Amino acid sequence: MVVAAVGPALLFVLASQSNLPDGTCSIEELSAAQRQGPGVGLALKLFTSAEQDAANLAQLPLDGNLIGDGQRRNAQYQLICDAVLPRYQPDRNWLGVYVIVPGQQGRYQCVDRFALEEAINETCWFYPTHDGTYLSWEQELKLVLLPGFVVDPSEQLLAMPYQREQISLLWSLLGDDEMLTSVGVTYGGQRVEWSPQIQETSPRATWKYFSVDTQSSPSLVVLSQQTS
């Protein structure tokens, strides 16, 4: 009798080279290896906002919840981004790629391991590209990641043999930063999700009020900010 495969057909583990399993391993081993990987990150929320918010940052909630549960907008704000960004640290971590072993429930075979900084680099944008005024909320986190999987892969992508050149490391300017930050990984153009499990939140958070003017340089200017 053939045992049905359980779990994604392709898994990704982000950790130091010495912590990445080789050969055939269990999902439990992959999860344990991933727990040795990135352990900090950033919670980020972005909202459209009116200009009068510039003087009111100290009154905004520490938890970033401007909009009620299950809502993305109210009369004053619209939530346009709600993300948890692990610190991927490409200069420290390797990426292990594992394919499910047919007929062996929960067993995976390592097909690749390489330094994350060797992946193809691509730029992306977290911050708005339309002119206007916005609010951002940021909070540092301690977290644990689960093994990564491709979000909504196509049947064609799943049918293809694994190819390293399909992996890209995404970089973005966050806010008014001058240096790019690694913000994600894709496979075949689809996002890899590591399902971060938040363990601890910083007691401090930062609100920023900023404007975007695509005709100016720099196009994004922080008008005021408040850390509390």
Side-chain angles (χ1 to χ4, degrees), residues 66-95:
L66 287 181
I67 297 174
D69 292 343
Q71 297 179 323
R72 292 194 65 85
R73 69 171 66 212
N74 63 18
Q76 190 172 3
Y77 307 106
Q78 180 181 355
L79 179 66
I80 56 176
C81 176
D82 187 356
V84 172
L85 307 177
R87 303 290 191 192
Y88 292 97
Q89 298 179 302
D91 58 329
R92 298 185 183 182
N93 289 308
W94 279 46
L95 186 66

Side-chain angles (χ1 to χ4, degrees), residues 79-224:
L79 179 66
I80 56 176
C81 176
D82 187 356
V84 172
L85 307 177
R87 303 290 191 192
Y88 292 97
Q89 298 179 302
D91 58 329
R92 298 185 183 182
N93 289 308
W94 279 46
L95 186 66
V97 184
Y98 302 84
V99 297
I100 199 165
V101 178
Q104 297 186 36
Q105 184 172 338
R107 302 291 294 178
Y108 284 82
Q109 174 70 41
C110 179
V111 293
D112 201 3
R113 297 191 308 167
F114 64 98
L116 185 57
E117 62 184 357
E118 295 177 1
I120 297 170
N121 295 315
E122 291 186 5
T123 55
C124 66
W125 305 106
F126 263 89
Y127 273 63
T129 56
H130 296 290
D131 292 356
T133 54
Y134 302 87
L135 284 169
S136 69
W137 171 87
E138 300 177 5
Q139 188 175 45
E140 296 290 333
L141 306 170
K142 291 184 179 179
L143 46 80
V144 172
L145 303 182
L146 300 179
F149 61 94
V150 181
V151 177
D152 296 328
S154 66
E155 292 185 6
Q156 181 181 6
L157 184 64
L158 291 177
M160 294 172 55
Y162 164 76
Q163 298 174 324
R164 183 187 292 189
E165 56 268 28
Q166 295 275 10
I167 294 176
S168 295
L169 178 61
L170 303 181
W171 297 82
S172 180
L173 285 174
L174 295 182
D176 57 339
D177 289 352
E178 296 183 357
M179 300 292 292
L180 291 167
T181 298
S182 55
V183 294
V185 175
T186 62
Y187 182 74
Q190 297 296 110
R191 178 172 59 90
V192 177
E193 171 62 53
W194 270 275
S195 300
Q197 313 293 301
I198 297 172
Q199 305 295 300
E200 184 179 335
T201 59
S202 169
R204 304 176 68 82
T206 298
W207 281 100
K208 294 181 181 179
Y209 174 70
F210 64 95
S211 66
V212 174
D213 182 352
T214 54
Q215 302 302 311
S216 300
S217 182
S219 60
L220 188 152
V221 175
V222 175
L223 303 173
S224 62

